[in-house]
């Protein structure tokens, strides 16, 4: 069964590439796909990746083929960017094709969705396109944000974080900046040390941190503590930029020590020249913020700052601060006790 699905997925990728070539031209500059994550009707789609890697212009090492994380029940899709990097074509495979193409006889129009959608990947064309987030079957922002920033030189680690998060937003880029700051100001000193993060408050940064620092919840590397408006209102004035608590934890022996960090979003909007409240989530503003942050990837101190250093008492672990019934804000002296 796996072999049959692999052959079918490879054929669908081949059909999509042939169709895209007539629209955006060859060789392709960049291809995005959710192959390997999508399992429409239970089909394994990884064979599409093998087929795309047969194209001489695509490789994983050059970041010209990017696999984007999606839910397993999503349709298989491809996004091909032409040689000039200015135009992309989005193609979706019909879920029904997985069952109907058992003999490999379906025509391309029976495999792919009715209409191939295209987009101009220029700042001018994307300006004002925030109202079109529903295009590409809801994958528009995911596809355009990753493709646009990949074409503008986003580093591979940032792209991997975006692929995991399924889009590249300023929240993900802020996670990259925080990780860079942390490794600079609280570096791990041996293989026996690791980072443990209290995500306080959580935002898209935490998906980036999982990729960049391997701080996953399943390995007790990330504890998520949401803050509602009442909790945010309790924060002391100096903690209003709060972006989490970051511990360097040894396996045994010395107590955990860390940094309480803040993130200056207002500085980012000041540099961008727009008020934070003004249409901050329009697509062109999100992309503009990402491009702004890209200029500061080696200067995270522009936005990330240390609110306070912290050292836990002997015998105390980071997870002790987030046990049920614990007022974590008061315990960290970020707010008065309730």
């Amino acid at each position: 069964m796996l072999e049959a699905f692999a052959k079918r997925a490879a054929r669908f990728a081949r059909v999509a590439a042939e169709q895209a070539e007539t629209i955006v031209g060859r060789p392709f500059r960049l291809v995005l796909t959710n192959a390997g994550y999508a399992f429409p009707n239970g089909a394994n789609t990884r064979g599409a990746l093998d087929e795309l890697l047969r194209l001489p212009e695509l490789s994983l090492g050059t970041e010209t083929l990017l696999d984007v994380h999606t839910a397993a029940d999503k349709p298989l899709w491809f996004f091909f960017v032409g040689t000039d990097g200015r135009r992309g074509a989005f193609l979706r495979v019909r879920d029904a094709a997985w069952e109907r193409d058992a003999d490999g006889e379906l025509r391309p129009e029976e495999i792919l969705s009715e209409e191939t959608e295209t987009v101009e990947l220029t700042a001018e064309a994307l300006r004002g396109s925030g109202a079109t987030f529903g295009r590409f079957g809801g994958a528009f922002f995911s596809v355009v944000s990753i493709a646009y920033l990949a074409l503008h030189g986003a580093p591979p680690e940032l792209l991997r974080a975006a692929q995991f998060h399924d889009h590249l937003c300023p929240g993900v880029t802020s996670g990259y900046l925080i990780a860079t700051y942390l490794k600079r100001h609280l570096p791990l000193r041996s293989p026996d040390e690791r980072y443990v993060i209290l995500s306080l408050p959580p935002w898209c940064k935490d998906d980036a941190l999982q990729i960049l620092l391997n701080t996953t919840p399943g390995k007790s590397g990330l504890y998520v503590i949401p803050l509602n408006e009442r909790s945010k209102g309790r924060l002391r004035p100096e903690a209003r930029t709060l972006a989490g608590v970051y511990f360097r934890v040894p396996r045994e022996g010395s107590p955990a020590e860390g940094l309480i960090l803040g993130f200056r979003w207002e500085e980012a909007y000041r540099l961008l020249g727009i008020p934070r409240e003004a249409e901050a989530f329009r697509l062109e503003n999100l992309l503009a913020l990402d491009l702004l942050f890209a200029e500061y990837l080696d200067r995270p101190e522009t936005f990330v700052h240390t609110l306070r250093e912290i050292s836990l008492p002997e015998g105390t672990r980071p997870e002790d601060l987030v046990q049920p019934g614990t007022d974590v804000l008061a315990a960290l002296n970020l707010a008065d006790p309730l």
Side-chain angles (χ1 to χ4, degrees):
M1 179 65 75
L2 284 176
E3 183 178 355
F5 279 141
K7 289 181 179 179
R8 220 166 297 173
R11 177 169 183 253
F12 295 165
R14 190 162 54 250
V15 167
E18 292 168 354
Q19 188 85 351
E21 182 177 357
T22 66
I23 302 168
V24 298
R26 282 277 309 275
F28 300 122
R29 173 85 173 272
L30 176 71
V31 175
L32 277 65
T33 179
N34 65 341
Y37 290 105
F39 287 81
N41 293 348
N44 189 322
T45 60
R46 290 189 65 80
L49 293 172
D50 294 335
E51 183 64 26
L52 291 171
L53 286 170
R54 294 178 184 275
L55 300 179
E57 67 266 40
L58 301 183
S59 77
L60 299 176
T62 59
E63 308 294 334
T64 47
L65 176 61
L66 302 178
D67 54 331
V68 179
H69 185 197
T70 60
D73 61 352
K74 294 297 183 182
L76 174 63
W77 55 256
F78 306 93
F79 183 71
F80 296 85
V81 179
T83 307
D84 62 5
R86 295 175 60 88
R87 193 173 185 218
F90 183 85
L91 303 100
R92 282 195 310 277
V93 173
R94 298 172 185 263
D95 285 355
W98 294 97
E99 300 299 331
R100 295 182 55 218
D101 197 48
D103 298 323
E105 296 178 351
L106 288 182
R107 299 187 303 276
E109 60 269 25
E110 296 176 295
I111 294 171
L112 302 174
S113 57
E114 294 88 344
E115 182 179 349
T116 300
E117 299 183 82
T118 61
V119 62
E120 295 294 324
L121 290 167
T122 63
E124 295 76 18
L126 294 175
R127 194 175 305 281
S129 58
T132 62
F133 274 35
R135 292 179 61 195
F136 297 1
F140 183 79
F141 180 56
S142 174
V143 166
V144 169
S145 61
I146 296 175
Y148 188 78
L149 272 296
L151 293 167
H152 284 77
E157 316 95 283
L158 180 55
L159 290 176
R160 291 306 294 174
Q163 289 164 250
F164 173 68
H165 188 63
D166 93 13
H167 61 262
L168 184 44
C169 63
V172 170
T173 318
S174 71
Y176 183 97
L177 292 167
I178 289 171
T180 303
Y181 183 97
L182 190 63
K183 287 186 281 188
R184 184 175 296 174
H185 294 271
L186 190 71
L188 299 182
R189 297 163 298 190
S190 77
D192 291 332
E193 291 185 328
R194 65 190 181 100
Y195 290 116
V196 175
I197 299 171
L198 308 187
S199 176
L200 182 76
W203 70 73
C204 307
K205 64 177 168 55
D206 301 299
D207 283 355
L209 293 168
Q210 289 183 70
I211 295 297
L212 297 167
L213 303 177
N214 197 22
T215 50
T216 66
K219 294 192 290 289
S220 301
L222 179 69
Y223 297 92
V224 175
I225 307 102
L227 298 182
N228 59 21
E229 291 305 314
R230 179 170 176 267
S231 295
K232 291 177 183 177
R234 291 180 57 213
L235 291 172
R236 300 185 191 280
E238 65 272 16
R240 295 292 165 81
T241 61
L242 182 63
V245 186
Y246 300 81
F247 288 101
R248 179 173 60 193
V249 180
R251 292 198 182 278
E252 56 184 34
S254 303
E257 54 188 350
L259 301 174
I260 302 176
L261 299 183
F263 194 89
R264 300 186 182 97
W265 284 103
E266 294 302 333
E267 177 64 8
Y269 281 93
R270 186 190 70 79
L271 290 170
L272 194 60
I274 63 170
R276 187 173 181 177
E277 309 78 37
E279 302 177 335
F281 290 96
R282 291 182 66 84
L283 176 61
E284 68 270 23
N285 288 341
L286 293 172
L287 293 175
L289 263 178
D290 269 321
L291 289 172
L292 171 71
F293 285 155
E295 298 175 15
Y296 291 87
L297 294 182
D298 61 345
R299 291 175 286 164
E301 292 82 3
T302 305
F303 307 104
V304 187
H305 62 112
T306 297
L307 297 174
R308 193 170 70 249
E309 297 180 0
I310 183 172
S311 183
L312 295 182
E314 190 74 37
T316 303
R317 309 295 285 180
E319 56 265 33
D320 296 333
L321 296 171
V322 294
Q323 293 303 304
T326 302
D327 184 352
V328 63
L329 294 179
L332 293 168
N333 199 29
L334 296 168
D336 293 326
L338 289 169

